Amino acid sequence: LLIARYLNLKAVNKARSFVNNMLFAQPKTAALVKAGSFVKVMVEKLKVGDVVMVAAGSKIPIDGVIVSGFSKVDNSIISGESQPKAVRNEDYVFAGSVNLESPIKIKVDKIANNSVVSQLFKLLAIIEKSKSNYVKIADKLSKVFTPLILVMALFNFFLWFYLTNRFDEALLNAV
């Protein structure tokens, strides 16, 4: 029972740590392209269809499609892939990825609440609320196993007490 709960806790904590790192890695602001200039806005204010500029070396603030420019992007936060991926017009990029080489313009495809990172966070919340298979099996076994052991110990006590008529020996053998 303890092993199952430990494994469940370890898996949930590892997933929580991963998603929290991804959430903290998300930029809070973006450079919105408006009439040829850039306006710094909160990521939550972006709407589907807005175009944002992402400078080289900056994190991509939101999921979207590249509409101008080409670069290499570090997607390791999403995919775990260590090699940068070359991207150009019409390629999809994810929030939290790092634009490595040159500025790119991205058309917002999903608002912040629907980004891949946000969806991972929501899935983690669902997972935390549900029990893992290990815990379910351990709970089922403990419902049967514990009462069975207690009944067997009680039976053993009475059997030894009946056979030896000594309380101390019966108790010693029952425990």
Side-chain angles (χ1 to χ4, degrees):
L1 181 64
L2 289 176
I3 292 171
R5 291 191 192 275
Y6 170 75
L7 291 173
N8 183 53
L9 183 65
K10 188 173 178 180
V12 168
N13 283 340
K14 188 174 183 181
R16 183 185 299 128
S17 173
F18 174 72
V19 172
N20 282 338
N21 288 341
M22 286 190 344
L23 284 175
F24 288 124
Q26 298 302 308
K28 304 291 183 225
T29 61
L32 179 64
V33 178
K34 271 200 172 182
S37 63
F38 307 113
V39 179
K40 195 173 192 177
V41 297
M42 298 299 290
V43 172
E44 296 83 27
K45 303 282 184 191
L46 294 173
K47 298 178 294 238
V48 174
D50 284 346
V51 176
V52 296
M53 172 64 83
V54 180
S58 297
K59 291 187 180 184
I60 296 171
I62 197 146
D63 293 357
V65 177
I66 297 176
V67 293
S68 174
F70 58 91
S71 186
K72 287 192 176 178
V73 173
D74 176 4
N75 282 328
S76 61
I77 194 163
I78 300 292
S79 66
E81 177 63 43
S82 62
Q83 295 295 318
K85 177 184 173 189
V87 292
R88 60 180 188 279
N89 286 355
E90 299 184 17
D91 283 344
Y92 201 85
V93 290
F94 301 101
S97 300
V98 180
N99 178 19
L100 298 174
E101 288 185 352
S102 60
I104 53 176
K105 289 182 183 176
I106 300 169
K107 184 177 181 180
V108 176
D109 183 53
K110 294 180 181 174
I111 59 172
N113 292 342
N114 291 332
S115 70
V116 171
V117 173
S118 178
Q119 295 299 322
L120 287 173
F121 191 73
K122 289 174 186 174
L123 284 173
L124 179 62
I126 291 168
I127 290 169
E128 285 180 341
K129 289 179 183 175
S130 66
K131 289 185 178 180
S132 74
N133 288 339
Y134 297 120
V135 173
K136 288 177 183 176
I137 291 169
D139 286 346
K140 285 180 183 178
L141 287 176
S142 68
K143 286 180 183 177
V144 174
F145 185 74
T146 304
L148 181 66
I149 294 299
L150 291 174
V151 167
M152 289 174 57
L154 193 59
F155 175 76
N156 195 19
F157 171 78
F158 286 122
L159 179 66
W160 277 95
F161 188 72
Y162 176 76
L163 293 175
T164 63
N165 207 20
R166 290 185 52 200
F167 179 81
D168 59 333
E169 191 171 341
L171 186 61
L172 183 64
N173 285 307
V175 175

